[in-house]
Amino acid sequence: MKHMPHDLRTQTLDLVNTSRPDAAASGQVAALISAWLGSLDEEDLAGTSPDCLAPVLWDGFAQAAKRTVEGCQIAQLRYCDGHGGMATGLLVLNDDMPYLVDSIVMAMRKQRVAVGAVMNAVLAVRRDANGNALAVGEAGAPLESYVLCLLSEDLGADELAALVAKL
């Protein structure tokens, strides 16, 4: 059965909200994921499985809920590829800027990394002085870009380190 993108959003969000025992305690993580999913174009979600996407979103956005560095912050993730194996995922958090996704894609091409999907959304996020997300979607809040790169393979530690260094 082929899922429509709205159904994929709903199913993924339902899995995010019900599959984590600590989800209630992490309202900003769920808010970030909800806003991110809602901002994607429909074709971005085509071909993704909610069962594979929900855990990688939770892991990535749990890291992104606290901004730990100035500039680019990259969550290194593993996810089920939907074919019985594991693959590498990256959630790149950065201030919104022109050509960010193009630069990420070019860096992956130069490293000869096969990419299954690249999904990007820009969200308004207000943070406290420690980098913790306080509000998502608030008018006037700084814009942040969240780029999820689902690679087609599970990179080894050296390959992953080289790719992250390029990004």
Side-chain angles (χ1 to χ4, degrees):
M1 179 169 103
K2 186 171 182 165
H3 298 286
M4 297 303 293
H6 177 72
D7 293 335
L8 289 171
R9 282 187 187 101
T10 302
Q11 291 172 6
T12 303
L13 206 49
D14 287 347
L15 285 171
V16 164
N17 290 327
T18 60
S19 66
R20 296 290 183 173
D22 54 349
S26 301
Q28 289 307 320
V29 175
L32 283 165
I33 294 170
S34 178
W36 185 82
L37 281 169
S39 296
L40 292 178
D41 289 333
E42 291 181 6
E43 60 267 8
D44 289 338
L45 289 170
T48 61
S49 162
D51 292 329
C52 292
L53 190 56
V56 78
L57 289 178
W58 185 267
D59 292 343
F61 279 93
Q63 293 178 53
K66 179 168 177 80
R67 196 130 187 215
T68 58
V69 296
E70 292 282 329
C72 186
Q73 179 175 314
I74 302 173
Q76 300 174 29
L77 313 160
R78 293 187 76 222
Y79 73 100
C80 67
D81 65 5
H83 304 289
M86 296 299 289
T88 299
L90 300 172
L91 180 64
V92 181
L93 164 59
N94 200 56
D95 296 332
D96 183 38
M97 58 181 53
Y99 308 111
L100 177 64
V101 175
D102 294 337
S103 297
I104 291 169
V105 170
M106 290 305 296
M108 289 188 288
R109 283 185 184 158
K110 286 181 181 177
Q111 292 295 114
R112 300 194 185 285
V113 174
V115 180
V118 176
M119 300 174 223
N120 179 51
V122 176
L123 305 176
V125 179
R126 183 171 52 90
R127 295 181 179 273
D128 66 16
N130 295 321
N132 297 306
L134 297 176
V136 180
E138 189 176 84
L143 297 178
E144 298 179 342
S145 180
Y146 294 81
V147 183
L148 179 64
C149 305
L150 299 177
L151 308 184
S152 298
E153 58 189 301
D154 194 11
L155 297 183
D158 291 341
E159 290 175 293
L160 182 57
L163 177 59
V164 168
K166 289 284 185 191
L167 295 176

